[in-house]
Amino acid sequence: MTVKDKIETVVLWLKESQFAIALTGAGISVESGIPAFRGAQGLWDKYDPSEYATIDAFMRAPYKVWGMLKELYEITLKAEPNPTHKALAELERLGKLKAVITQNVDSLHQKAGSKKVIEFHGTGETLTCILCGAKYRIEEINLEKVPPFCECGGILKPDVVFFGEPIPLHALREAFELSERCDLLLVVGTSAQVYPAADIPRVAKRSGAKVVEINLEPTPLTNTISDIFIEGKAGEILPLILKAYKTQCE
Ligand code: OAD
């Protein structure tokens, strides 16, 4: 099947579907200038996740971990949604896509206009004091000197899920309810290696949904869970799907 044929099939499935959703990962924000975690130029090439991405590492060495967080915030706070975020938002606006479950913490889906976004790994928008639990918004924080401190003297931690921390309960529940309910799942820009997020396509498939995967390279889902794998940049493929869908539906 050529990419064109695959896109035509996906558009047909979109038209037929009653409840389509998407699962997104770091790959979709690469075209907004935010590095992914795995693969060439991935963040975990530069920073060992056992030293920078676990909750134990944060508690043990918050100054060191905040060095990486500061670098990431400097990139993400300037980043803008790209054609993938925009196409997914438009599919929702058209009534076709019912929700996006994202592993990303960069808020670019919301910036693009998506309304129903489940942030499976939390958000970088807010921070919590590890001592008193006070909440802050990122705009209130001066990132020149890190780590940032709460008024009470405690260190602030972004509300993103570190390894060893639970998935926010409301996001976990909603994501798995949606996976069981959907009849079409678009899996875009995730290596599908981190659980429980990587179970979402499996649950959707088991519940009878069609699974479409868009990625630069095959993943553990390819040829096992995915009904169609489209190899390429999400920022090129998603707008093609949207355009073909709109042409056929308008
Ligand atoms: P990864 O960095 O593991 O995977 C990104 C995927 O996107 C890879 O499979 C790439 O091939 C693909 N990719 C890169 N650029 C792309 C593009 N332009 N178009 C399409 N695909 C592209 O990111 P995630 O799967 O999101 O969790 O990682 C999952 C979790 O691991 C993250 O949420 C984070 C991380 O550790 C925590 O920190 C808890």
Side-chain angles (χ1 to χ4, degrees), residues 100-102 104-105 107 110 117-123 168 170-171:
V100 175
I101 304 167
T102 188
N104 302 344
V105 297
S107 303
Q110 292 91 330
V117 182
I118 289 102
E119 294 178 305
F120 202 77
H121 288 159
T123 174
H170 59 96

Side-chain angles (χ1 to χ4, degrees), residues 53-234:
T54 70
I55 188 63
D56 287 351
F58 184 86
M59 291 306 198
R60 216 173 32 238
Y63 283 73
K64 176 172 153 180
V65 173
W66 259 107
M68 175 192 75
L69 293 173
K70 176 178 168 165
E71 188 183 317
L72 275 180
Y73 269 124
E74 277 165 359
I75 300 169
T76 53
L77 291 174
K78 280 196 298 227
E80 291 296 333
N82 65 50
T84 305
H85 301 102
K86 291 178 188 165
L88 291 172
E90 176 74 356
L91 282 172
E92 184 189 37
R93 203 187 59 74
L94 293 169
K96 215 9 54 176
L97 199 69
K98 305 301 180 196
V100 175
I101 304 167
T102 188
Q103 297 162 85
N104 302 344
V105 297
D106 54 27
S107 303
L108 291 182
H109 284 300
Q110 292 91 330
K111 268 198 189 173
S114 285
K115 301 278 181 260
K116 182 79 178 163
V117 182
I118 289 102
E119 294 178 305
F120 202 77
H121 288 159
T123 174
E125 288 284 305
T126 55
L127 304 93
T128 301
C129 170
I130 59 172
L131 277 189
C132 74
K135 288 263 183 206
Y136 291 80
R137 291 202 57 80
I138 188 65
E139 308 85 71
E140 301 172 64
I141 306 297
N142 179 354
L143 287 173
E144 258 161 52
K145 252 183 83 194
V146 292
F149 288 95
C150 176
E151 277 175 14
C152 82
I155 288 175
L156 300 182
K157 178 192 160 292
D159 291 336
V160 301
V161 174
F162 279 66
F163 287 113
E165 286 193 298
I167 304 299
L169 195 57
H170 59 96
L172 187 74
R173 272 210 196 114
E174 205 172 3
F176 280 98
E177 277 168 19
L178 288 164
S179 332
E180 283 177 3
R181 184 170 169 202
C182 71
D183 55 11
L184 178 63
L185 172 67
L186 308 178
V187 181
V188 196
T190 175
S191 63
Q193 288 183 34
V194 174
Y195 287 84
D199 273 329
I200 289 169
R202 292 179 170 81
V203 169
K205 178 85 174 181
R206 213 169 45 224
S207 308
K210 294 198 170 73
V211 177
V212 173
E213 193 183 11
I214 299 162
N215 199 304
L216 284 183
E217 58 190 16
T219 75
L221 303 175
T222 315
N223 298 323
T224 54
I225 300 295
S226 305
D227 294 287
I228 284 191
F229 171 67
I230 308 183
E231 190 167 338
K233 284 189 176 176

